[in-house]
Amino acid sequence: MRRVLLIRPLCTGDEPEFAEPLGIERLAGYLRAHGICDVHLFDRRLYEQERRHGLGTSTFWGDVRTAYVDNPPTHVGLSLMTSSDVPDALRIISRLKAYWPHVAICAGGVHVTTNAKEVERHLPHHVTLISGEGESQITAWILDGAITNKVLLPDDWAAAYRPNLVRYAALGCAVNMQTSRGCPGSCTFCATPSLPPAYRRWRPRKLTLVVDEIAHEATRLTEAGLPPIFNFVDDDFGPLARVEALAAELANRTLVMAFALEMRMAALVGESHLTERLCRLKTAGLTRVFVGLESLNPQTLSQWHKSIDIGELPQVISAFKQAGITLQTGYILWHGGQTIEGARQEVIELWRLGIYSHRMAISQLIPFAGCRLTPHDTDLGEVEGFVATFAKKSADLTSTWTAAAIEEPHAAAVAALTGNDEELKRIRKTLQNVNRQSYELLVELLDQNP
């Protein structure tokens, strides 16, 4: 009898935004769909968040021991997203081996997939490393110890298993959904373009399967008295037509929900009747779209292999504003090729476009393991001192902005569902004030450093 324990460790680094662990939830769903039904999920961060909010009375280790009071787990899987997960993973491995010396342990996740050699140096030799998407690999490892590198098509995924759905939602978390694999982009600061072709190729999951999962979880949330709020975590949800197809499927099933997703700017530029189409998506529940703008400098975009027509940006921003959908733009202001004057020009243009945020002002190029960047690309060089000075002078702004920015997506989703936007207005006023103060301080400092 296989008894499987899947764990997300604590993060020792800066992780201000808490979300459900979709990776191990999807693995658990796949295992259960393929006959391995004795699966428990434990999230160290969930216990930490509940303690901070005065919720829950149990402890992580107490609940783990209770779950296996009669029979120990036979297999344990750890999810490692970044190197910051490794220290707690080592503590978990040590304690589990003390409890159950014969348990088999594996580790997977993005950090293992993109940086396996580093992980191998830090984890004990008895820990098996599993790279890639993981479903078929961990299933084979549990059943016979042999790991096969079969790549599943998105339609072959199982629905995620979410035993703690209500606990996450009570903390203000959206239900995370993945509806595709890969990304058609080739950004040099991202690890995806360097993955094997089977993992980087963009492949969408059939929307009827996606909405089946949404309907199931939305019902659970509604029965618990919680709002049905969803967040699509795809690197690229796909073209605008796919978002419209999702909205149509939701309408066919009379599903009411609020949702956010991520797209590429190239999928929005040049789309006909963009404002009208976004207005219809707003009615369907779309509250925000995240796009990776990254830079307004054509030379920088070219070096990073970001194909964006900056000249079309004002039309896209205007369409989102008119539709009442938040366009959240990722930006990397500080990098190896940046200068004081270059930053000044970009910041002023960002403000003129109406998309400047304090987050942009402190953003630095941090490459993913396995990406194509060199140390020269990330070395701030002559602007390093300026960046440190601004970070110090704006520390209070950063704290206020971060807290409000984490609250804002959930508040916007609740406002869309209930029509009550008082809390949203309060949060957005805070963000606007911080952004204005940040902009004024940043420009003042830039002007003093020609």
Side-chain angles (χ1 to χ4, degrees):
M1 178 70 175
R2 278 83 171 180
R3 294 176 294 277
V4 181
L5 169 60
L6 300 178
I7 301 174
R8 177 168 71 165
L10 290 174
C11 175
T12 58
D14 181 22
E15 189 200 38
E17 189 168 5
F18 174 67
E20 64 169 319
L22 182 58
I24 59 174
E25 290 174 339
R26 276 188 38 211
L27 289 178
Y30 189 85
L31 292 174
R32 289 166 57 86
H34 289 77
I36 304 173
C37 297
D38 191 343
V39 181
H40 287 276
L41 302 183
F42 284 94
D43 180 5
R44 292 267 277 162
R45 302 176 203 184
L46 175 58
Y47 286 87
E48 183 180 60
Q49 289 294 321
E50 287 181 329
R51 185 168 58 253
R52 289 178 181 177
H53 288 81
L55 301 173
T57 57
S58 61
T59 65
F60 169 80
W61 289 111
D63 284 355
V64 168
R65 295 301 298 271
T66 299
Y68 294 100
V69 66
D70 295 322
N71 293 295
T74 57
H75 298 79
V76 172
L78 300 172
S79 175
L80 307 181
M81 292 297 292
T82 70
S83 59
S84 297
D85 296 340
V86 173
D88 192 55
L90 288 171
R91 289 189 288 269
I92 293 170
I93 292 167
S94 176
R95 184 172 295 199
L96 291 181
K97 277 295 186 179
Y99 288 163
W100 308 301
H102 301 295
V103 70
I105 301 177
C106 75
V110 173
H111 187 48
V112 175
T113 300
T114 60
N115 216 2
K117 290 184 179 179
E118 179 185 339
V119 177
E120 190 174 10
R121 286 197 299 268
H122 287 91
L123 296 188
H125 294 304
H126 63 77
V127 176
T128 299
L129 300 186
I130 294 178
S131 63
E133 290 291 324
E135 289 100 331
S136 60
Q137 290 92 324
I138 195 172
T139 303
W141 174 71
I142 290 170
L143 292 177
D144 59 19
I147 299 176
T148 59
N149 201 28
K150 179 183 177 182
V151 178
L152 299 179
L153 296 175
D155 286 355
D156 294 329
W157 297 343
Y161 173 55
R162 296 182 166 93
N164 297 313
L165 175 78
V166 171
R167 292 172 68 184
Y168 288 108
L171 290 167
C173 293
V175 180
N176 281 341
M177 298 284 299
Q178 185 172 11
T179 76
S180 64
R181 165 185 286 141
C183 178
S186 57
C187 306
T188 58
F189 51 76
C190 181
T192 299
S194 300
L195 293 175
Y199 291 124
R200 68 173 181 263
R201 177 185 171 191
W202 188 78
R203 295 178 179 178
R205 184 166 170 78
K206 188 182 300 180
L207 287 177
T208 52
L209 297 176
V210 172
V211 179
D212 285 345
E213 188 171 347
I214 289 172
H216 179 265
E217 307 302 10
T219 298
R220 294 177 64 194
L221 290 171
T222 301
E223 290 175 347
L226 294 164
I229 300 172
F230 290 77
N231 179 45
F232 296 93
V233 300
D234 310 75
D235 288 339
D236 175 22
F237 187 84
L240 191 62
R242 186 168 188 252
V243 187
E244 293 171 321
L246 171 66
E249 185 65 26
L250 293 173
N252 287 340
R253 305 197 198 187
T254 63
L255 283 171
V256 177
M257 58 180 268
F259 63 98
L261 50 82
E262 184 169 338
M263 298 177 70
R264 299 172 68 232
M265 182 64 78
L268 296 167
V269 169
E271 285 288 340
S272 61
H273 309 292
L274 182 58
T275 301
E276 293 86 347
R277 295 165 73 182
L278 289 175
C279 286
R280 289 192 289 270
L281 290 173
K282 167 75 171 179
T283 302
L286 180 61
T287 59
R288 75 177 47 238
V289 173
F290 177 87
V291 296
L293 175 59
E294 315 310 357
S295 180
L296 293 176
N297 186 319
Q299 182 178 352
T300 301
L301 291 173
S302 176
Q303 291 172 345
W304 291 345
H305 294 182
K306 288 285 294 184
S307 179
I308 297 176
D309 185 352
I310 297 300
E312 296 292 330
L313 186 56
Q315 289 82 0
V316 174
I317 294 172
S318 175
F320 273 85
K321 185 175 182 179
Q322 291 181 62
I325 298 173
T326 298
L327 180 67
Q328 183 177 343
T329 49
Y331 203 86
I332 305 171
L333 182 61
W334 303 110
H335 50 84
Q338 188 59 283
T339 64
I340 294 295
E341 179 55 28
R344 183 179 182 279
Q345 292 177 8
E346 290 177 36
V347 166
I348 291 174
E349 181 63 8
L350 289 167
W351 183 264
R352 188 189 69 80
L353 290 168
I355 58 174
Y356 174 90
S357 74
H358 179 63
R359 175 60 187 164
M360 293 177 171
I362 59 175
S363 62
Q364 297 183 37
L365 179 56
I366 302 175
F368 290 91
C371 76
R372 302 174 187 174
L373 294 182
T374 67
H376 173 74
D377 297 313
T378 58
D379 183 1
L380 297 183
E382 65 180 37
V383 302
E384 183 174 4
F386 179 89
V387 174
T389 298
F390 178 75
K392 183 177 181 180
K393 288 181 177 292
S394 64
D396 289 344
L397 294 178
T398 300
S399 178
T400 303
W401 187 92
T402 300
I406 291 172
E407 292 178 332
E408 198 265 351
H410 186 267
V414 170
L417 291 168
T418 65
N420 184 347
D421 63 355
E422 290 304 311
E423 179 67 7
L424 178 61
K425 286 180 178 178
R426 180 193 65 79
I427 294 170
R428 286 183 171 172
K429 184 176 180 180
T430 298
L431 289 171
Q432 290 168 1
N433 289 337
V434 171
N435 289 337
R436 177 182 51 77
Q437 294 176 60
S438 169
Y439 173 75
E440 292 173 350
L441 174 62
L442 182 54
V443 171
E444 178 185 352
L445 293 177
L446 288 168
D447 287 342
Q448 294 172 1
N449 290 267

